[in-house]
């Protein structure tokens, strides 16, 4: 029994260390040997003969109770540096119970040019984001579809830079850098800096591992409907396209700004939902682990697949170390280190106002993220069915 417990504990500790430290370091080392993303040509709002070579694009904005931000979002999309005759905007109000539809309509009613380019769909029933995406992407007749959230603001050249990658017929998805204007905490800010660097490195070795729902672009012909109960659609859609053999591109010059600040409570709720989605996609997209996917399989296993099971792995590593500590100096050190980390996270949580420093707040954010991830994963395993989306109040 002792040998088995030691093996399980060492395996769990090794996987945790690999996921959090070894893999990011290895990824950076590999990525340094690869060429960076080439900068796309710029249009700078000046119409040229080359405009006719740009693909046609539908910007699709699913909205549920977004009355405060929908007008701003419409104005942002219509101000992008992209030929007006090749850009359409489709806003889909998914059974909203507030004034989202009225605000969206008012935003374009006195602008004749906008009326020609904007379609506002008012669905009386709240069916959920996945149903909206499956239905509305099928109705688009443009070359590309750009998916974006109402709370995000796109840089003026974001669509232009993203669209130019599709001149390569092998490209199926393009995403870029997600920037928080007002991070809810220092830990959240550090987490997103880390994730941005990781995503850029992953893209260089095997392709983009998922996208961020704030903004990404797909080749319309490469889209296939996803299951109605999909949780993390911004991961599943790109990965299904990648599984069909098309490239997924990360361009750090494509910038999206998230304007909504988030409290720790809101971030925990979001992490629970993402945790449920992580478990769902680990089960449903297990085929991406096949060696034929090369670097994509390596990155998927090391990042998203392990993340789904990481709360369980961490618990096994900690409890196993505690059980073995009395008889082994090695496990005693492991148990002490893990216990200290969890104790620090607990103290920061209980007394957030004290000067804990960057390390303390980063440890706290990481631990509470794994807790929320674990709760979400258990919720999904207990009840895989989910209803339509519900906006998390900020």
């Amino acid at each position: 029994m002792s040998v088995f417990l030691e093996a399980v504990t060492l395996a769990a500790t090794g996987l945790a260390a690999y996921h959090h430290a070894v893999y990011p370091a290895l990824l950076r080392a590999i990525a340094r040997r690869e060429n960076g993303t080439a900068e796309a040509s710029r249009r700078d709002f000046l119409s040229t003969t080359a405009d006719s070579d740009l693909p046609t694009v539908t910007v699709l904005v699913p909205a549920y109770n977004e009355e405060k931000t929908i007008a701003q979002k419409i104005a942002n999309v219509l101000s992008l540096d992209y030929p007006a005759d090749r850009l359409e905007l489709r806003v889909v109000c998914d059974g909203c119970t507030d004034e989202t539809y009225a605000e969206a309509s008012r935003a374009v009613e006195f602008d004749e040019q906008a009326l020609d380019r904007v379609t506002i769909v008012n669905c009386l029933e709240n069916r959920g984001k996945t149903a909206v995406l499956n239905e509305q992407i099928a109705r688009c007749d443009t070359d590309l579809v750009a998916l974006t959230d109402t709370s995000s603001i796109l840089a003026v050249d974001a669509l232009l830079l993203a669209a130019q990658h599709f001149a390569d017929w092998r490209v199926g998805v393009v995403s870029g850098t997600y920037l928080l204007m007002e991070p809810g905490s220092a830990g959240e800010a550090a987490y997103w800096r880390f994730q941005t660097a990781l995503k850029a490195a992953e893209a260089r070795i095997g392709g983009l591992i998922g996208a961020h729902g704030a903004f990404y672009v797909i080749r319309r012909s490469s889209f296939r409907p996803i299951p109605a109960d999909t949780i993390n659609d911004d991961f599943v859609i790109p990965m299904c396209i990648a599984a069909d053999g098309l490239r997924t591109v990360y361009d750090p010059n494509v910038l999206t700004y998230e304007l909504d600040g988030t409290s720790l409570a809101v971030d925990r709720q979001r992490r629970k939902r993402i945790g449920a989605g992580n478990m769902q996609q680990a089960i449903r997209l297990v085929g991406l682990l096949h060696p034929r996917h090369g670097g994509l399989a390596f990155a998927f296993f090391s990042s998203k697949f392990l993340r789904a099971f990481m709360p369980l792995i961490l618990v096994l590593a900690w409890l196993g170390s505690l059980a073995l500590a009395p008889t082994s100096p090695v496990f005693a050190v492991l148990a002490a280190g893990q216990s200290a980390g969890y104790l620090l996270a607990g103290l920061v949580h209980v007394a957030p106002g004290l000067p804990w420093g960057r390390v303390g707040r980063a440890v706290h954010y990481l631990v509470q993220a794994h807790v929320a991830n674990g709760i979400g994963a258990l919720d999904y395993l207990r009840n895989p069915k989910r209803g339509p989306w519900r906006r998390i109040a900020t």
Side-chain angles (χ1 to χ4, degrees), residues 22 51 74 130 140 159-160 169 232 261 295 307 328 356 376 379 383:
V22 177
D51 285 356
I74 291 173
T130 301
C140 295
L159 185 57
L160 179 67
W169 63 268
N232 294 344
R307 188 176 303 168
S328 168
W356 296 106
D379 285 346
N383 180 23

Side-chain angles (χ1 to χ4, degrees), residues 86-99:
R86 309 192 75 74
L87 173 63
E88 301 176 9
L89 170 60
R90 183 181 292 260
V91 178
V92 185
C93 304
D94 185 32
C96 299
T97 58
D98 65 356
E99 295 298 310

Side-chain angles (χ1 to χ4, degrees), residues 92-156:
V92 185
C93 304
D94 185 32
C96 299
T97 58
D98 65 356
E99 295 298 310
T100 300
Y101 177 70
E103 290 295 327
S105 300
R106 277 193 287 270
V108 299
E109 65 180 336
F110 298 117
D111 188 337
E112 291 185 6
Q113 291 185 339
L115 284 172
D116 293 336
R117 302 167 61 194
V118 180
T119 300
I120 302 174
V121 181
N122 188 27
C123 302
L124 299 180
E125 178 186 358
N126 176 222
R127 297 172 300 157
K129 188 177 181 181
T130 301
V132 168
L133 296 179
N134 284 337
E135 177 185 84
Q136 296 300 322
I137 294 176
R139 293 182 178 179
C140 295
D141 58 3
T142 50
D143 301 317
L144 309 178
V145 177
L147 306 174
T148 181
D149 292 338
T150 59
S151 61
S152 61
I153 294 296
L154 311 181
V156 293

